[in-house]
Amino acid sequence: MLLIPCPWCGPRDEAEFTYGGQAHVPYPRDPAALTDEEWARYLFFRDNPKGPHAERWCHTISCRRWFNVVRDTATNEVLAAYRIGEAGPVIS
Amino acid sequence: MSAGTRPPGADLPEHPDHLWREPDPKRSYDVVIVGGGGHGLATAHYLARAHGITNVAVLERGWLAGGNMARNTTIIRSNYLWDESAAVYEFALKLWEGLEAELDYPLLFSQRGVLNLAHSLQDVRDSVRRVEANRLGGIDAEWLDADGVREVCPIVDISPAARYPVLGGTYQPRAGIAKHDHVAWALARSADAAGVDLIQGCEVTGIDVRGGRVTGVRTTRGSIAAGRVALCAAGHTSVLAAMAGFELPLQSHPLQALVSELLEPVHPTVVMSNAVHVYVSQAHKGELVMGAGIDAYTAYTQRGAFHVVERQMAAALELFPVFARAHVLRTWGGIVDVTPDASPIVGRSPVAGLYLNCGWGTGGFKATPGAGAILAHTVAHDEPHPLARPFSLDRFTTGALVDEHGAAAVAH
């Protein structure tokens, strides 16, 4: 089980959270202007790295706020947690 | 011990013959298959046996069939909703039915049937729809009411007082299970005998592409030139695609399963439940084999969280109160590559000569011979097998998805 550091509540068990997939995927500014390829990319393609991954979590059973985490998918090590709107860390 | 007495064990039989060689990689092959699991070995088998292509290497970073092939729950069935999927899984099931003879090896293939339970009115509607779709497609399928479920599997709790009462279930009698290790060994022996090099401990670290065409792979055991390359790496396919310079609509998740200690035969069939969410059979040896839903986050760790196993156990006890005193023997996780429509991607990739076989997600084992056969055809002819056509990568652009979230039966 992951220990996830909620930026509002501190470290809590994974079971308190909901996973929200890749972070920093903006809704297209003008969806109707996208080509089929661009729309497919927005809808269906998400990062799937073996390594650091920026992702959203929601602290469902406590503060109920969404925030971002950088987690290494090869080790499950949590490298950073930051609030929505804050810039993500630079992971080398 | 007096001189001349034979030590204990000295009269045991010799170590059996190895089923395949341990060759060093050659500098070049007509076809390189990345991934020595069930699908990679089956592809090699059919390349050799159906297409006469034997200058082939299967590269496996660990040991043969040590990934998802050793980590699944060995369920085989073809009762999918849409014609495209039912066709490909039924093609695989028909191959399973002849596979022991084809490979001349006991696979413990047991057509003990599979029950997919329905717990709500909507479940019932969806299930009956799937049964009718299956029958129209020539696949054996029956709708059973709760008493019918109990007749097939007496240990399922069908009492109306259950938290999620069993209203009935779909039943595919030809479905069943097989012994995954035997399947891998038999396919490996066949491919090896045909001249295919099975190379273990050989991790692909790069894919060489020149002028939009694949020319070979770099590995931890040196560079290997290849006319064609087929990816059979399941959860690691995204990593390989990145080496070749393109992305795929895949998410790699841990999927956990577990077995109980060995028990007397109590469970005659395979039972799956989407709503309560567990799938259970009993292996020939006696372990209850149970699978969970995927862990929610993406990961390559081949392990998952304990609360997922706990939830799965709760579901199993809900359906099978008789399991309350069984003990868990071991749990494990594999990495499954999940697509947005829960259907596989098989066919050409954006790189010429590089072929995809991925996205089987939580259901790859049942497809093993079918996936191998259609991928071998696709590689041999540089043209998707007719059954693979609906599963092309470009369906995510055209919108012609094959949505099997219902029949895939593992929550994700």
Side-chain angles (χ1 to χ4, degrees):
Chain A
M1 185 176 299
L2 305 179
L3 189 63
I4 297 175
C6 171
W8 306 93
C9 310
R12 301 287 186 87
D13 282 351
E14 172 194 337
E16 296 189 9
F17 297 85
T18 304
Y19 180 69
Q22 184 187 342
H24 311 300
V25 181
Y27 188 75
R29 255 177 219 293
D30 184 4
L34 298 189
T35 63
D36 287 353
E37 285 73 19
E38 290 167 335
W39 186 240
R41 283 206 79 72
Y42 169 69
L43 273 189
F44 297 127
F45 286 70
R46 293 292 181 271
D47 289 348
N48 191 27
K50 186 176 186 178
H53 181 238
E55 60 198 22
R56 300 176 302 181
W57 288 85
C58 181
H59 199 176
T60 324
I61 67 163
S62 183
C63 67
R64 301 201 293 168
R65 283 193 254 213
W66 285 95
F67 59 97
N68 295 322
V69 166
V70 177
R71 179 180 53 92
D72 188 326
T73 63
T75 62
N76 278 336
E77 187 186 358
V78 174
L79 304 172
Y82 51 101
R83 296 175 184 183
I84 295 289
E86 291 178 354
V90 178
I91 307 286
S92 56
Chain B
M1 187 198 313
S2 63
T5 306
R6 309 259 299 153
D11 297 319
L12 290 174
E14 292 294 307
H15 190 285
D17 287 341
H18 289 278
L19 295 178
W20 53 85
R21 299 161 293 131
E22 286 277 351
D24 287 320
K26 295 191 286 189
R27 293 299 84 191
S28 163
Y29 291 93
D30 292 341
V31 178
V32 163
I33 297 167
V34 183
H39 286 206
L41 294 170
T43 304
H45 164 74
Y46 286 108
L47 272 176
R49 303 293 170 178
H51 304 283
I53 299 173
T54 56
N55 185 19
V56 175
V58 177
L59 308 183
E60 168 53 50
R61 75 191 180 108
W63 60 93
L64 286 188
N68 292 351
M69 191 62 172
R71 296 161 193 271
N72 69 88
T73 51
T74 78
I75 297 169
I76 297 164
R77 60 191 175 90
S78 64
N79 56 351
Y80 280 66
L81 174 63
W82 299 107
D83 290 350
E84 296 88 343
S85 350
V88 76
Y89 289 109
E90 177 63 15
F91 173 66
L93 179 49
K94 290 211 168 81
L95 288 174
W96 278 113
E97 287 174 328
L99 206 57
E100 289 190 326
E102 182 181 335
L103 298 173
D104 188 24
Y105 202 92
L107 305 178
L108 303 185
F109 175 57
S110 160
Q111 290 179 292
R112 57 183 62 189
V114 62
L115 274 169
N116 291 77
L117 301 180
H119 301 270
S120 67
L121 190 53
Q122 190 58 46
D123 270 0
V124 172
R125 291 184 185 122
D126 291 344
S127 300
V128 171
R129 178 190 179 200
R130 186 157 49 73
V131 164
E132 299 299 350
N134 288 160
R135 296 172 94 147
L136 285 171
I139 292 171
D140 58 320
E142 299 165 30
W143 166 254
L144 305 178
D145 61 14
D147 287 329
V149 167
R150 186 171 53 187
E151 254 173 58
V152 172
C153 189
I155 56 173
V156 175
D157 177 12
I158 61 160
S159 69
R163 174 69 183 82
Y164 301 101
V166 173
L167 302 184
T170 70
Y171 186 54
Q172 182 180 22
R174 287 165 58 243
I177 57 174
K179 180 73 183 156
H180 52 91
D181 282 337
H182 288 208
V183 176
W185 298 339
L187 289 168
R189 182 179 72 162
S190 165
D192 176 85
V196 172
D197 283 355
L198 308 176
I199 301 163
Q200 306 180 69
C202 181
E203 182 172 358
V204 171
T205 56
I207 295 178
D208 293 321
V209 178
R210 232 165 280 143
R213 180 163 193 91
V214 72
T215 58
V217 295
R218 275 163 281 151
T219 79
T220 49
R221 296 179 65 178
S223 292
I224 300 172
R228 293 172 187 189
V229 174
L231 303 185
C232 291
H236 275 76
T237 308
S238 293
V239 177
L240 291 162
M243 293 175 191
F246 61 91
E247 292 176 68
L248 292 168
L250 297 173
Q251 296 278 279
S252 297
H253 290 269
L255 176 62
Q256 300 187 79
L258 62 86
V259 291
S260 74
E261 65 210 312
L262 308 187
L263 301 170
E264 293 293 315
V266 290
H267 184 13
T269 182
V270 180
V271 172
M272 315 181 69
S273 164
N274 280 18
V276 179
H277 208 286
V278 71
Y279 36 106
V280 189
S281 67
Q282 186 170 18
H284 292 83
K285 248 190 314 180
E287 310 106 310
L288 298 167
V289 184
M290 307 189 201
I294 60 171
D295 278 57
Y297 49 80
T298 61
Y300 289 81
T301 49
Q302 289 187 322
R303 61 192 297 181
F306 192 72
H307 70 270
V308 175
V309 170
E310 199 175 14
R311 201 179 301 152
Q312 165 198 6
M313 290 294 81
L317 290 189
E318 171 73 22
L319 291 177
F320 302 97
V322 67
F323 293 172
R325 294 184 184 199
H327 295 110
V328 169
L329 190 64
R330 64 182 183 276
T331 75
W332 64 87
I335 303 300
V336 297
D337 45 335
V338 176
T339 59
D341 61 357
S343 285
I345 301 171
V346 184
R348 293 204 195 91
S349 78
V351 173
L354 180 63
Y355 303 91
L356 301 172
N357 173 58
C358 59
W360 292 92
T362 59
F365 177 77
K366 70 174 75 66
T368 299
I374 65 176
L375 181 60
H377 176 104
T378 302
V379 171
H381 298 276
D382 187 32
E383 181 71 32
H385 186 285
L387 290 174
R389 270 178 215 289
F391 301 104
S392 66
L393 178 58
D394 73 359
R395 76 175 184 272
F396 298 99
T397 306
T398 63
L401 304 183
V402 186
D403 182 0
E404 286 292 359
H405 280 101
V410 176
H412 51 278

